[in-house]
Amino acid sequence: MTAGTTGTAEDGFRGWREAAREALYGPDGFYRRPGAGPAAHFRTSVHASPLYARAVARLLCRVDEALGRPPALDFVDMAAGRGELVTGVLGALPADVADRVRPYAVELAARPHGLDGRIAWRDEPPDGVTGLLFANEWLDNVPVDVAQVDASGTPRYVLVRADGAERLGEPVAGPDAGWLDLWWPLPPEEGLRAEIGLPRDRAWTAAVETLERGAAVAVDYAHTAGARPPFATLTAFLEGRETTPVPDGSRDLTAHVALDACAAAPALPGARLLTQREALRALGVTGGRPPLSLASSDPAGYVRALAAAGEAAELTAPGGLGDFGWLVQPVGAEGVLDG
């Protein structure tokens, strides 16, 4: 954190990165609260359909094959919530793969009661991972500072109080300014905003560095150069509704991810950006309707297939979950998402 992101002790203003970190991950933060967890406030692909966990299980099997079926195969679920994804993946694996899997759930909240005893619950990923590290909607919750252009055309840090009130602070400087210049240059037009994604680049690089062999995948709300939103994307979710971002610990705080910047940060070959629609189709989730003839030969099977097709359509829908970005970084497991 630079000095320019802070306010004074008297006025309570500070940079969005510091404020969001405390509101989300502090002792009384949103993600440390007991209970249903994030699923009570917003719906991810994991919650939309079990087809998602099955697709991730299929991806883990492809990583397994690319690595030559090692004796121990790691699956690391970053930002695991209450363990919904890792539980679904374990249940969808073939027996010969499940017998070799070492599952990890990485989350700051306490371990949920009743979670499968095979799952190791940690507050950070293990080192020396051989397998798949999967980060579903993690990077959008890595706190970042917000910059806004002032009347003179200068990008300044946006400072915020716990009640959501904002004011402008010092000009953006140092590595933050370098990141903006490279990845999200702001024209000198008053009011334009950007989220400074450098902490996410560093977080993604650290996650990838835990891999000895395998692949790392980040799935998130995303944008890339040439299509940055002019007023940034910082928002909040509370009890299933999008709402005003207020860093008081009561709600999720999220901002879309400059996923192309994250892809470049580890400086490793083979990084690939896809939409969720492209990635899931490569993993066999298409959303195609079952043949009508099945309704006559197997009515119950037709109903099940129709329901699955509807769930697949939601996961791959343009303008919705299908537009999520997937960042795939292989580390000795190339081609696992080739169609």
Side-chain angles (χ1 to χ4, degrees), residues 76 78 104-107 122-129 133 138 206-207 210:
V76 182
M78 294 289 295
Y104 298 89
V106 180
E107 181 58 73
R122 301 172 55 104
D123 59 6
E124 59 184 21
D127 290 322
V129 171
L133 180 145
W138 167 52
T210 66

Side-chain angles (χ1 to χ4, degrees), residues 148-156 168-169 171 187-192:
Q148 180 174 314
V149 179
D150 68 10
S152 71
T154 301
R156 292 179 176 270
L168 297 186
E189 180 180 334
E190 185 178 8
L192 294 182

Side-chain angles (χ1 to χ4, degrees), residues 23-38:
L24 293 176
Y25 307 116
D28 299 315
F30 177 81
Y31 279 101
R32 288 190 181 270
R33 295 182 175 185

